[in-house]
Amino acid sequence: MDNIEQIKINTVVNGEKVEAFVEPRLSLVDFLRNELELTGSHVGCEHGVCGACSIQVDGSVVRGCLMLASQADGADVISIEGASDAGIVADLQKAFHERNALQCGFCTPGMLLTSSELLDQKKNPTRAEIREYLSGNYCRCTGYEAIIDAVETVAIDRAGSSHNGKS
Amino acid sequence: MANLKEMMQDHILDRPNSYIGKSVPRPNAKRLLAGRGTFTDDINLPRQSHVAFLRSPYAHAEIVKIDVTSAEASPGVIKIMTGQEMAKICTPWVGVLSHLEGIKSAPQHALAIGKACWQGEPVVAVVAKTRSQAEDAIDLIQVEWNELDVVVDMERALDSDIPVIHDELGDNLTWQRNVDCGDVDAAFKNADHVIEETYISNRHTGVCLETRVIVADYNPGEEQLTVYLSTQCPHMMQNLFAKHLGLEEHKVRIICKDVGGSFGVKVHSYPDEYATAALAYCLKRPVKFTADRLESFTSDIHARDHRINTKIAVSNEGEIQAFEIDDLTGIGPYSVYPRTSGIEVNQVVNLTGGQYKNRNYRAQARVVLQNKSPMCQYRAVGHPVLTLITEGMVDDAARRIGMDPLEIRRKNLIPDDSYPCTAPTGLPFEKLSHHACLEKLAKMLDYDALQKDKREARENGIYRGIGVATFIEVTNPGATFYGIGGAAISAQDGATLRLDAKGNLIVEISVTEQGQGAEAVVAQCAATAMGISLDKVRVITGDTDVTPYGGGTWASRAAAIGGEATVQAGKALKKNIIEVAGIMLQADPATLDIYNNNVVDKSNNTERISLEEVGRICYYRPDTLPKDYQSELVVTRHYVPKQFPFAFTNGVQGCYVEVDTNTGFVKFKKYVVVEDCGTVINPQLVDEQIRGGVIQGLGGALYEECLYNSEGQFLNGTMADYLVPMAVEMPDIEVGHVETPTLESELGAKGAGEAGTGGAPAVIMNAINDALSPLGGKVTRQPFTPERILMAIGKIT
Ligand code: FES
Ligand code: FES
């Protein structure tokens, strides 16, 4: 709005420095989508329920619709595009693809980032734990089972390869 | 004879290197995984503006006065439009079809004129530079409303003291249908047992994770309207925008990129979408509308609001002797355009009890208007309701006579060897496999072991139940669904296949991708028919300027109808390629085939010339071909089923649950689906359609409900208040198949996208009621919430 004062922010998004002036009311996900044209993060509910807007900020996955762009001042932000290009979620992407753990793909960026966070925190999650951890991410298409399978496959593979690495 | 042998050799299910029946991953999924999909809201055009809508805050209210003076002065505002002005650009519509005899509805406008008929109906459109500016301006619009009495409860919609929503219709009864087959009265009179019950299927909605989105642009230089739309049916929308904006159809282009879930929600036309297109036309610049979640809840179609009184007659020996139903459904204030809101109830009337031998069947259905969001077709249209009541009645009968639920079904299901035959209402069944599916399910469930486990658990005060529900499902409709009723909705679909100069295959097809994997399945069909490898195939969908004219994706038709069109186009193109290769090789085309991207000797698959070389010569060196010969490396074929109005599929779902009688919570212990969708083109995609469909069905059965108060106010229009299934509470699902291909098409595939949703509510209800039966409790009202379960067993009142 013309008469609202804009706030200056400095952030790093997907490894690139970003300096921008934002409206105080602008959410982080709208900032990424509309100002930076990073449209991989999606908006499903706009009030923190569905997880489609999941974004990594300073190492933790947050809801981009609940965080304001102005709060990202000084933060390190990684969206699905950055995570994908950096190869952070490559094994998850491969497993999702092979297992068809996505249909329309609208929930998928959020699912990948949240699964990635789970696997960083816990090496061998049970299926029940994966289900629990992903319960803040809604998927309307898959019925979830394929997603749980894919995450479980990656967990097992990662555990196997780290074990091999040690021996 | 040689000819027949040749034909068989060339049959699509008999090709070497076939991709049919293989679980190949979807090529288009990779961009979505990388966050590089293009959903419609991801599209932004130069000079784009945004529209937001002032929607009626009341369920039924006269619009006395609208004052937009201060809104017009609000920053960024480009245009404000009310109903009267809109009506000059966009004509109204009436959601009726002639084959639903007697159905009536009132003219509906893109923006309400005179009065608003549901909370959420668009009334004023504000276009501004940004969406937030448009929303800011809406806050400044003053509307003077005169609240009117509302019609909320469908049970009372026809009472004489209830207002008529549209005076010109005379009453709130928009459609009714009665059927009476066999001798129902005699059957009930002579029956050993008659069991009556009332079932309630709750109003719920699709909740696509991507809301409805449209970006419309009008170029006055070309007189061309281009609409980016998240839709299931681009050509239908092309027709509708052209018709109601007064444009030539070929000057309207619909482009549908990635769709974030549709489930039937995006197969209809919506007032706000017409308004957006009209505003782009009027402003001669791009206008975007992205529904927010509250707007989705109150303006996307709802579905399944039915109250059904049922009655079944059964003999002591377990023979079902009659079904009778009385279905009342409330559809909101308008029948939705262009498919009408009569189809769901029509399915209920047509198909209730349709899997059973019984011929005595009577149905009464009434469709009434009310001041709630419009209701229309949503995934599995009618089937969740009709399967719920059919299988509820059959379980009631089994319980009454003390018969095992599998046994009563074995006794009454249409035998697998008695096809073709018809349902009592006359719909023809080509060939179904109820008994094969049922026996397979019993095995996969380990039914006897579950019965034992259930008995033992009960001795320890733990209440477990087994549910079984058989079903039939309408798929692959031909013109009988909409076309014969006057709707401009294509029943056939087409595929254009083009061999490029590098030997790759481009497929342009009129069915659309919604995440179900249509593009992958089409690629598999094309690759198999052509003898080409999958990595060389590229599939293009969702652009009316590019693909053949067609219906799109609905009624579980994309894979089977689109797939068959592709197969036929692939075979024709292969013939053309072999013909020109024969000239190049100076060989008899009858001795040639295509295998693994090469033209080969049919007898031993020896490579003769690569497709790349064929392409090179045809495009770059046609001078080396005979002067009187023109090669054709592009072929289009269409397909529509004609022998049968639909390809019915069938199957059975079974589940094992534990009900906590202190909390009312239901825990899944096992869930199995066996289904028969004919030829399975991609087993993984089919299984995931089933799984996703089941979970969507369970959502409606256990959690989802659009709640209204007595004033017609929507009470739970957020995702926090309207519950959808989450990962933590949903079961893993085992899927089994029986394959009975349809003989109508060479491919033999039937639809698979809706069967899971159709059967799920019945199976969970039957399982819960089996668990509750020792306590004398029973649930018949969806959603089967913990509260309702506790009430059923008298734990709470
Ligand atoms: S859009 Fe942020 S949680 Fe749904
Ligand atoms: S794949 Fe469509 S919402 Fe998850």
Side-chain angles (χ1 to χ4, degrees):
Chain A
M1 231 160 138
D2 304 354
N3 49 1
I4 291 181
E5 207 177 308
Q6 308 246 325
I7 298 170
K8 183 177 171 194
I9 58 169
N10 280 290
T11 67
V12 177
V13 177
N14 297 334
E16 272 177 41
K17 277 196 223 148
V18 173
E19 185 185 304
F21 289 88
V22 297
E23 274 186 39
R25 64 179 172 182
L26 186 69
S27 69
L28 179 59
V29 67
D30 282 348
F31 175 65
L32 293 183
R33 287 182 54 78
N34 299 334
E35 313 284 320
L36 304 186
E37 297 178 320
L38 290 165
T39 54
S41 313
H42 300 140
V43 177
C45 71
E46 296 160 278
H47 56 246
V49 181
C50 75
C53 62
S54 300
I55 296 160
Q56 216 191 78
V57 177
D58 291 333
S60 318
V61 175
V62 303
R63 313 246 131 165
C65 67
L66 292 185
M67 184 168 170
L68 294 169
S70 60
Q71 292 172 302
D73 187 31
D76 188 10
V77 176
I78 298 180
S79 70
I80 183 63
E81 291 92 338
S84 181
D85 292 353
I88 302 167
V89 288
D91 52 357
L92 280 164
Q93 287 168 318
K94 181 165 171 282
F96 270 57
H97 190 218
E98 284 168 0
R99 183 58 190 83
N100 198 48
L102 70 160
Q103 288 183 26
C104 77
F106 200 78
C107 69
T108 309
M111 288 288 181
L112 289 169
L113 292 176
T114 310
S115 313
S116 170
E117 183 178 64
L118 167 66
L119 296 185
D120 285 348
Q121 287 173 10
K122 196 155 174 82
K123 291 297 159 227
N124 280 309
T126 62
R127 287 181 77 79
E129 285 169 333
I130 300 170
R131 282 190 178 274
E132 176 86 42
Y133 205 85
L134 292 180
S135 276
N137 289 71
Y138 287 5
C139 175
R140 205 51 181 155
C141 302
T142 63
Y144 300 109
E145 183 173 339
I147 297 173
I148 311 305
D149 288 348
V151 176
E152 189 183 32
T153 302
V154 173
I156 291 167
D157 283 359
R158 285 194 191 177
S161 54
S162 70
H163 177 76
N164 290 342
K166 270 182 220 149
S167 58
Chain B
M1 282 331 284
N3 237 348
L4 181 68
K5 206 173 148 220
E6 224 166 71
M7 267 168 59
M8 280 314 292
Q9 267 182 8
D10 212 28
H11 194 281
I12 189 68
L13 300 181
D14 204 24
R15 294 292 306 158
N17 249 12
S18 172
Y19 290 100
I20 308 295
K22 301 246 162 69
S23 290
V24 294
R26 292 158 51 205
N28 60 354
K30 278 192 177 170
R31 66 167 184 266
L32 300 168
L33 284 158
R36 260 72 169 199
T38 309
F39 295 93
T40 304
D41 188 55
D42 301 343
I43 296 164
N44 291 301
L45 303 176
R47 286 185 74 233
Q48 177 175 285
S49 58
H50 296 258
V51 62
F53 295 93
L54 184 151
R55 293 173 184 270
S56 172
Y58 300 109
H60 200 192
E62 192 187 335
I63 305 161
V64 181
K65 202 171 143 215
I66 300 174
D67 181 355
V68 299
T69 329
S70 33
E72 269 169 346
S74 188
V77 168
I78 295 164
K79 174 83 193 165
I80 298 184
M81 201 180 272
T82 61
Q84 273 88 1
E85 192 181 347
M86 179 60 74
K88 289 180 199 141
I89 313 169
C90 180
T91 56
W93 54 86
V94 183
V96 296
L97 289 171
S98 63
H99 66 311
L100 304 181
E101 214 186 309
I103 191 168
K104 64 190 184 193
S105 188
Q108 187 181 1
H109 289 266
L111 296 173
I113 294 178
K115 69 171 186 172
C117 294
W118 85 90
Q119 182 210 18
E121 180 170 8
V123 177
V124 186
V126 176
V127 183
K129 277 194 221 146
T130 69
R131 168 79 183 221
S132 29
Q133 286 174 331
E135 287 179 8
D136 289 340
I138 281 176
D139 290 343
L140 301 173
I141 298 174
Q142 310 277 336
V143 184
E144 195 184 314
W145 298 96
N146 177 23
E147 275 189 77
L148 302 169
D149 288 342
V150 293
V151 188
V152 175
D153 181 1
M154 63 188 184
E155 295 280 1
R156 298 213 52 221
L158 302 177
D159 290 357
S160 56
D161 60 335
I162 289 294
V164 171
I165 296 179
H166 306 292
D167 289 338
E168 66 267 41
L169 299 183
D171 57 24
N172 292 324
L173 181 66
T174 179
W175 191 49
Q176 62 179 331
R177 185 174 167 214
N178 297 297
V179 303
D180 200 342
C181 317
D183 192 343
V184 175
D185 290 328
F188 278 114
K189 200 162 143 237
N190 301 326
D192 293 328
H193 305 274
V194 174
I195 304 135
E196 297 188 44
E197 186 56 86
T198 296
Y199 293 92
I200 294 185
S201 164
N202 48 315
R203 178 179 268 260
H204 47 282
T205 182
V207 196
C208 308
L209 210 51
E210 179 212 33
T211 58
R212 290 184 297 104
V213 190
I214 170 171
V215 183
D217 188 16
Y218 184 72
N219 181 334
E222 295 178 313
E223 296 173 345
Q224 162 105 15
L225 180 75
T226 303
V227 181
Y228 295 84
L229 186 66
S230 181
T231 182
Q232 296 172 236
C233 34
H235 285 100
M236 180 191 92
M237 292 309 302
Q238 176 190 41
N239 169 271
L240 293 174
F241 284 131
K243 179 171 168 187
H244 291 284
L245 295 178
L247 303 170
E248 295 289 339
E249 199 156 317
H250 66 288
K251 296 288 182 89
V252 176
R253 178 183 185 188
I254 309 291
I255 302 175
C256 174
K257 309 293 275 190
D258 291 315
V259 174
S262 53
F263 318 120
V265 168
K266 296 171 183 171
V267 82
H268 310 292
S269 68
Y270 289 89
D272 45 27
E273 294 174 6
Y274 287 106
T276 305
L279 285 160
Y281 173 63
C282 151
L283 296 171
K284 303 178 179 51
R285 67 187 286 180
V287 182
K288 177 189 268 191
F289 169 63
T290 303
D292 67 24
R293 187 51 65 185
L294 174 62
E295 285 182 298
S296 295
F297 273 113
T298 59
S299 68
D300 286 4
I301 55 100
H302 295 176
R304 320 250 207 268
D305 198 2
H306 294 249
R307 186 276 295 135
I308 317 101
N309 297 328
T310 68
K311 204 164 139 187
I312 182 171
V314 65
S315 73
N316 285 328
E317 293 72 41
E319 188 197 339
I320 297 169
Q321 294 159 321
F323 290 112
E324 180 169 2
I325 64 165
D326 173 3
D327 185 355
L328 177 69
T329 179
I331 57 154
Y334 296 100
S335 171
V336 173
Y337 184 66
R339 289 168 194 255
T340 82
S341 303
I343 299 290
E344 180 161 84
V345 87
N346 207 35
Q347 304 277 49
V348 175
V349 169
N350 278 339
L351 301 176
T352 294
Q355 59 270 58
Y356 293 105
K357 286 184 285 188
N358 162 62
R359 308 304 290 176
N360 301 315
Y361 172 58
R362 181 184 292 147
Q364 163 173 237
R366 284 168 303 155
V367 182
V368 298
L369 300 177
Q370 51 183 178
N371 296 113
K372 292 182 178 177
S373 293
M375 204 170 87
C376 204
Q377 287 80 286
Y378 162 51
R379 193 177 197 173
V381 193
H383 293 76
V385 179
L386 70 95
T387 308
L388 183 88
I389 60 175
T390 301
E391 292 300 85
M393 282 191 272
V394 171
D395 262 23
D396 282 344
R399 245 190 309 275
R400 171 72 68 84
I401 60 170
M403 195 174 211
D404 177 85
L406 283 193
E407 217 36 60
I408 195 169
R409 290 177 170 84
R410 283 190 184 110
K411 204 176 167 79
N412 288 285
L413 286 166
I414 298 173
D416 290 356
D417 59 6
S418 56
Y419 295 94
C421 64
T422 60
T425 48
L427 287 178
F429 300 126
E430 182 191 8
K431 186 155 173 50
L432 301 176
S433 58
H434 294 301
H435 292 268
C437 289
L438 194 67
E439 297 318 320
K440 189 160 187 173
L441 180 98
K443 218 178 263 160
M444 286 173 73
L445 274 178
D446 204 350
Y447 187 75
D448 296 337
L450 287 192
Q451 288 287 10
K452 185 160 167 274
D453 180 77
K454 182 178 89 178
R455 282 193 299 272
E456 287 169 4
R458 268 178 206 176
E459 281 161 23
N460 299 319
I462 295 167
Y463 292 88
R464 293 182 181 158
I466 306 170
V468 172
T470 62
F471 61 86
I472 47 177
E473 176 84 37
V474 163
T475 76
N476 292 11
T480 33
F481 237 43
Y482 296 111
I484 57 161
I489 300 171
S490 176
Q492 67 176 23
D493 275 279
T496 297
L497 269 56
R498 177 172 86 235
L499 190 79
D500 75 6
K502 290 282 179 279
N504 302 301
L505 187 67
I506 316 298
V507 182
E508 290 147 1
I509 187 154
S510 55
V511 298
T512 56
E513 174 68 85
Q514 322 284 304
Q516 83 279 45
E519 290 180 2
V521 165
V522 163
Q524 285 175 266
C525 291
T528 304
M530 287 280 299
I532 211 169
S533 59
L534 210 48
D535 58 311
K536 294 197 171 292
V537 182
R538 183 170 151 75
V539 179
I540 296 168
T541 61
D543 187 338
T544 55
D545 266 11
V546 172
T547 73
Y549 198 89
T553 295
W554 41 274
S556 298
R557 65 193 293 288
I561 293 182
E564 181 70 11
T566 306
V567 165
Q568 296 309 327
K571 291 177 79 167
L573 178 56
K574 186 169 100 172
K575 193 160 163 271
N576 289 2
I577 292 170
I578 286 176
E579 183 182 275
V580 71
I583 294 171
M584 292 170 190
L585 300 167
Q586 301 196 332
D588 176 1
T591 65
L592 300 174
D593 196 357
I594 302 179
Y595 176 73
N596 211 9
N597 308 315
N598 294 306
V599 175
V600 296
D601 271 334
K602 203 177 220 166
S603 55
N604 55 14
N605 280 349
T606 335
E607 180 188 334
R608 297 294 305 275
I609 185 170
S610 70
L611 292 182
E612 182 172 355
E613 184 61 6
V614 172
R616 186 189 69 81
I617 295 171
C618 288
Y619 289 111
Y620 305 149
R621 297 302 309 276
D623 57 308
T624 64
L625 297 172
K627 285 198 168 37
D628 58 351
Y629 183 80
Q630 175 61 53
S631 65
E632 284 297 346
L633 300 187
V634 181
V635 161
T636 300
R637 287 292 181 275
H638 291 83
Y639 175 68
V640 61
K642 282 189 184 142
Q643 294 170 39
F644 289 90
F646 319 101
F648 278 97
T649 68
N650 68 279
V652 52
Q653 304 195 9
C655 80
Y656 190 43
V657 301
E658 183 173 310
V659 179
D660 184 328
T661 51
N662 292 314
T663 61
F665 286 166
V666 176
K667 203 163 87 201
F668 289 95
K669 299 188 72 67
K670 195 164 196 158
Y671 205 113
V672 177
V673 180
V674 178
E675 72 96 54
D676 184 345
C677 63
T679 305
V680 174
I681 302 169
N682 185 321
Q684 186 185 55
L685 294 184
V686 168
D687 287 1
E688 294 317 313
Q689 280 303 299
I690 301 290
R691 291 195 173 97
V694 165
I695 300 303
Q696 208 153 32
L698 291 177
L702 294 172
Y703 314 111
E704 297 178 38
E705 184 163 28
C706 299
L707 296 168
Y708 284 85
N709 71 9
S710 58
E711 270 88 56
Q713 293 282 319
F714 196 113
L715 298 177
N716 56 337
T718 75
M719 268 174 139
D721 298 310
Y722 180 102
L723 304 182
V724 298
M726 296 188 292
V728 73
E729 58 212 357
M730 286 295 107
D732 286 340
I733 297 165
E734 282 176 64
V735 184
H737 300 279
V738 171
E739 287 191 46
T740 311
T742 170
L743 300 180
E744 267 230 63
S745 68
E746 189 172 328
L747 193 54
K750 309 176 193 173
E754 301 175 281
T757 310
V763 76
I764 183 68
M765 178 180 76
N766 284 351
I768 292 170
N769 287 340
D770 186 41
L772 299 184
S773 63
L775 301 167
K778 186 176 163 196
V779 288
T780 55
R781 183 194 180 100
Q782 280 187 186
F784 310 118
T785 58
E787 187 188 2
R788 286 184 181 143
I789 288 169
L790 292 178
M791 278 168 68
I793 54 173
K795 277 269 163 80
I796 56 172
T797 45

